[in-house]
Amino acid sequence: MCGIVGYIGTRDAYPVILKGLKRLEYRGYDSAGVALINGGLKVYKKKGRVADLEEILIGKAVSGHIGIGHTRWATHGEPSDRNAHPHVSNSGSFAMIHNGIIENYAQIKNELLKKGCTFKSDTDTEVLLNFIEDIKRNNEGTLEEALRYALKRITGAYCILLIDKDDPHTIIAARKGSPLVIGIGRHEHFLASDASPIVEYTKEVVYVNDYEIAIVRADELILKNLGNEKQTPFITKLDMELAAIEKGGYDHFMLKEIFEQPQTIYDCLRGRLDADKGTITMSGIQQYAEQIMHAPRIIMIACGTSWHAGLVAEYIFEELCRIPVEVEYASEFRYRHPVINKGDVIIAISQSGETADTLVAIETAKEQGAIILGVLNVVGSSIARVSHAGAYTHAGPEIGVASTKAFTAQLAVLTMIALKIAHQKKAIDEERYHVLCKELMAVPDKVAIVLEQNDNIKKLAEKYKDAYDFLYLGRGYNFPVALEGALKLKEISYIHAEGYPAAEMKHGPIALVDETLPVVFVATKDAYHQKIVSNMQEIKARKGKVISIITEGDEVSPALSDDVVIVPPADEIVAPMLSVIPLQLLAYYIGIAKGYDVDKPRNLAKSVTVE
Ligand code: F6R
């Protein structure tokens, strides 16, 4: 949700910023811009991709050792050149970029308009910038003081970078609710929304906290709180390699990330699950094991794909641990005055760890006494810092906007947590526990086998790419997989798709079925297999096209299906990690067949740091 980059030091700032913006483009790609100081303030911005900005800058004077850059996901104001960041203040002295939303911008804008201030854009960012300039002018103070004062007046979320044309030695940054990482180099500093623009220059970083202001110079980094008290920067070593954020020979990040899954699931299990000994070591969870075992209720809070992982986990926890589970959309949970009881355990699931709704939902629940556990991919993210404990998914950076490897890693972590608690609680018998440990450990190899269906799925994509609608059906553990398959297709191919519990289809969606409707059945062998076969019959009887994801050895479903994708046999508890893979590939190849940019689907952004 907007990517920001800043550089100050001995290098030319522009190439560092440009490369950084390309790495952050997954956060938004409605427009891009840079501001540099070099004998004056130079601002260049353009609607569209970072590549469009790069093109208009060929041959322009883009030198300078200080600069800020932005890639936008539009909130206030349509995507356009004039709404692109950086914005410049009324006097022309200051330039600013912003990730977040200033909620009370309209009121501040009115105050400024009455004072004769003019605005070139429709953005909340320009309002905040002119507000800062107005305060500075009235109080005759420093830019830093004016910023501090302004931040106390505004509500909403922000990560901002601010530069002053008369001070080419300083970038001022501030954050609340939107992420900011500062990389520390020799006589240089790098600022960014995440570490990907920084990792090739330095591994020493500081994650700036909410309500902190950073005054950044080539040789100096000062952190202060809004009370103007100095804070000690906590330097962390980045655990990320450059290769992890490059395409590595694949055409798209999405395809690379789909194919990484045997490794990422293995990385997630490695060092935690010893299937031979039947042990699961997760220190963050162990610390709260008693509370989880005796929790009256577990509430999973998440959005999008992570919410689907929560739905699968609901089935797993209830079956194995016998603890009631609720799965909540973070955006609904946070506003509906939820009842939180003493002892309730909340599991926040998030790839980015920055999703605004999830973050605020758990902050609210924490204030009410809930225990918060995070199942997160990005180390050191905002949700990680609010959580009491948790377990990282270790899937590596996920750059494709559509989430793939994060989903299977979330399932692997959640299954381990459920198994660990069920075993400790003695809610599951020893034999089943050991079988499930082995089943889980076998998942990475089985995912590799599913990926061998790649060419088959590519052909299916060609065959079905012109459909207007898709229906995805599943039962039990595979019902959330059907939802996830439909979401992937919508995101990447812009084809309308609905996920439904297979049996519920009779209560409405069956009216949609005719010979033009592809219906994807997630029908791997499980306790309800006979039932879903009956549902296939019902679709076939109405001439729908049946594409089914089935288990090797299933002799019934192929006769009822127009097309099948076969996955290896697996216990129903781990089967979603296999059955989702063909659905990810199908969405990918349909998107490609339709000529879309699958890594940057329209209107989307990877990390939703606004409401
Ligand atoms: C779907 C997708 C989104 C995210 C959702 C939550 O492919 O990427 O639906 O799953 O925005 O994001 P995180 O997991 O970062 O909280």
Side-chain angles (χ1 to χ4, degrees):
M1 201 104 321
C2 297
I4 59 160
V5 190
Y7 175 80
I8 185 158
T10 47
R11 300 170 202 251
D12 253 346
Y14 174 65
V16 176
I17 292 169
L18 189 72
K19 204 187 243 185
L21 289 180
K22 286 181 179 168
R23 297 231 169 100
L24 289 180
E25 223 177 355
Y26 72 86
R27 300 177 67 89
Y29 28 85
D30 289 331
S31 63
V34 287
L36 303 157
I37 303 177
N38 183 13
L41 184 61
K42 311 254 163 50
V43 178
Y44 308 97
K45 44 195 197 172
K46 182 86 193 121
K47 178 182 167 186
R49 304 282 163 101
V50 176
D52 299 316
L53 173 74
E54 187 178 11
E55 206 177 298
I56 60 158
L57 288 186
I58 294 170
K60 292 252 165 54
V62 284
S63 54
H65 301 293
I66 171 173
I68 56 178
H70 187 268
T71 178
R72 178 170 187 245
W73 186 82
T75 58
H76 292 61
E78 57 170 13
S80 63
D81 289 355
R82 72 188 182 86
N83 285 329
H85 300 213
H87 292 284
V88 176
S89 64
N90 259 210
S91 72
S93 293
F94 310 119
M96 191 170 94
I97 53 176
H98 169 216
N99 166 207
I101 284 184
I102 308 302
E103 286 165 0
N104 56 343
Y105 84 101
Q107 181 197 341
I108 295 171
K109 188 170 184 174
N110 277 337
E111 288 171 23
L112 293 172
L113 282 169
K114 280 185 200 142
K115 290 180 174 180
C117 184
T118 55
F119 294 91
K120 296 183 203 76
S121 78
D122 308 317
T123 64
D124 51 345
T125 307
E126 195 188 8
V127 174
L128 174 58
L129 176 59
N130 281 319
F131 185 44
I132 296 167
E133 182 169 81
D134 185 58
I135 294 168
K136 184 175 181 318
R137 191 183 313 113
N138 294 338
N139 297 315
E140 293 176 3
T142 64
L143 183 59
E144 183 196 326
E145 283 163 355
L147 170 66
R148 205 163 44 238
Y149 189 85
L151 294 183
K152 287 184 189 160
R153 275 267 333 258
I154 58 163
T155 55
Y158 56 81
C159 169
I160 57 169
L161 302 190
L162 179 61
I163 54 175
D164 174 353
K165 80 169 173 28
D166 296 324
D167 180 3
H169 306 294
T170 313
I171 298 177
I172 303 182
R175 80 154 266 182
K176 187 208 146 200
S178 302
L180 174 61
V181 191
I182 301 180
I184 303 168
R186 244 174 88 76
H187 310 303
E188 60 185 353
H189 283 103
F190 306 83
L191 301 94
S193 302
D194 72 28
S196 60
I198 297 175
V199 62
E200 76 178 274
Y201 307 106
T202 175
K203 293 233 161 162
E204 297 211 324
V205 297
V206 172
Y207 291 95
V208 177
N209 290 310
D210 275 350
Y211 303 107
E212 280 181 349
I213 293 181
I215 297 102
V216 189
R217 304 194 174 94
D219 283 308
E220 190 177 37
L221 167 60
I222 301 169
L223 279 188
K224 290 182 179 178
N225 62 19
L226 290 189
N228 199 25
E229 293 159 334
K230 280 201 177 168
Q231 308 292 301
T232 310
F234 181 73
I235 299 173
T236 313
K237 262 227 141 27
L238 272 183
D239 180 22
M240 183 196 274
E241 294 305 325
L242 192 56
I245 52 170
E246 290 179 340
K247 284 192 200 142
Y250 285 90
D251 288 342
H252 297 94
F253 282 111
M254 183 176 174
L255 191 63
K256 176 188 175 221
E257 287 159 6
I258 292 172
F259 271 84
E260 275 175 348
Q261 289 175 104
Q263 186 63 45
T264 50
I265 300 171
Y266 177 71
D267 287 344
C268 168
L269 303 175
R270 190 171 48 149
R272 289 167 163 168
L273 172 65
D274 185 330
D276 293 331
K277 292 196 187 125
T279 55
I280 295 173
T281 315
M282 299 175 99
S283 54
I285 302 302
Q286 189 54 47
Q287 230 182 313
Y288 285 89
E290 283 296 318
Q291 286 96 323
I292 307 173
M293 274 161 58
H294 299 113
R297 190 171 59 145
I298 294 175
I299 308 171
M300 312 266 175
I301 297 185
C303 303
T305 290
S306 300
W307 184 77
H308 295 155
L311 284 182
V312 178
E314 176 180 28
Y315 284 79
I316 300 177
F317 273 77
E318 292 202 335
E319 175 166 344
L320 300 183
C321 308
R322 308 304 299 150
I323 301 171
V325 177
E326 283 168 30
V327 188
E328 299 275 358
Y329 283 118
S331 53
E332 290 298 316
F333 181 82
R334 61 182 284 198
Y335 285 116
R336 67 169 169 73
H337 304 293
V339 179
I340 310 275
N341 296 313
K342 195 166 177 298
D344 280 348
V345 169
I346 288 186
I347 302 186
I349 309 167
S350 174
Q351 187 286 125
S352 61
E354 299 294 344
T355 301
D357 284 321
T358 310
L359 181 60
V360 179
I362 62 167
E363 280 170 344
T364 314
K366 192 176 178 186
E367 278 162 22
Q368 293 177 49
I371 294 158
I372 315 289
L373 304 175
V375 172
L376 311 166
N377 196 34
V378 177
V379 177
S381 54
S382 301
I383 296 176
R385 283 184 280 161
V386 172
S387 304
H388 291 107
Y392 284 116
T393 48
H394 297 312
E398 190 180 65
I399 294 169
V401 165
S403 190
T404 53
K405 64 176 180 173
F407 178 72
T408 47
Q410 287 164 348
L411 293 186
V413 165
L414 289 161
T415 310
M416 274 192 289
I417 300 175
L419 274 171
K420 184 174 173 60
I421 297 300
H423 191 232
Q424 203 157 328
K425 197 182 164 192
K426 299 196 179 3
I428 175 177
D429 73 51
E430 256 328 274
E431 194 189 333
R432 176 113 175 97
Y433 171 75
H434 284 279
V435 166
L436 286 177
C437 286
K438 293 213 160 73
E439 282 280 337
L440 187 53
M441 206 63 220
V443 167
D445 287 344
K446 291 183 184 176
V447 169
I449 295 170
V450 181
L451 288 167
E452 288 169 10
Q453 299 269 348
N454 182 56
D455 291 346
N456 174 24
I457 298 167
K458 207 174 185 173
K459 285 188 197 129
L460 294 186
E462 272 302 323
K463 180 169 169 186
Y464 292 104
K465 70 177 194 311
D466 297 319
Y468 286 107
D469 297 285
F470 268 72
L471 194 56
Y472 284 72
L473 300 175
R475 296 180 85 115
Y477 291 94
N478 276 328
F479 157 54
V481 177
L483 295 181
E484 175 60 7
L487 177 64
K488 287 288 90 87
L489 191 74
K490 279 183 271 206
E491 285 179 292
I492 300 303
S493 72
Y494 317 146
I495 296 176
H496 170 252
E498 271 195 63
Y500 240 76
E504 187 65 19
M505 167 265 303
K506 294 187 291 295
H507 301 280
I510 198 163
L512 299 170
V513 178
D514 63 16
E515 62 286 353
T516 66
L517 184 77
V519 182
V520 179
F521 276 92
V522 192
T524 50
K525 272 273 167 63
D526 56 19
Y528 334 85
H529 191 250
Q530 289 296 336
K531 308 275 178 208
I532 204 160
V533 168
S534 307
N535 300 137
M536 276 182 206
Q537 304 264 21
E538 290 153 10
I539 297 291
K540 252 350 283 166
R542 286 155 184 87
K543 300 195 167 37
K545 298 273 175 288
V546 172
I547 305 162
S548 34
I549 315 301
I550 60 169
T551 307
E552 195 183 318
D554 177 348
E555 286 171 359
V556 183
S557 310
L560 298 169
S561 309
D562 294 87
D563 292 284
V564 294
V565 179
I566 298 171
V567 305
D571 191 283
E572 60 185 16
I573 284 186
V574 300
M577 285 179 264
L578 308 183
S579 53
V580 76
I581 308 285
L583 307 187
Q584 297 171 343
L585 284 169
L586 186 66
Y588 172 80
Y589 283 118
I590 293 183
I592 295 292
K594 292 176 89 73
Y596 297 140
D597 183 349
V598 294
D599 275 342
K600 299 187 189 81
R602 72 181 177 208
N603 304 337
L604 292 175
K606 180 84 187 143
S607 168
V608 186
T609 54
V610 295
E611 285 186 47

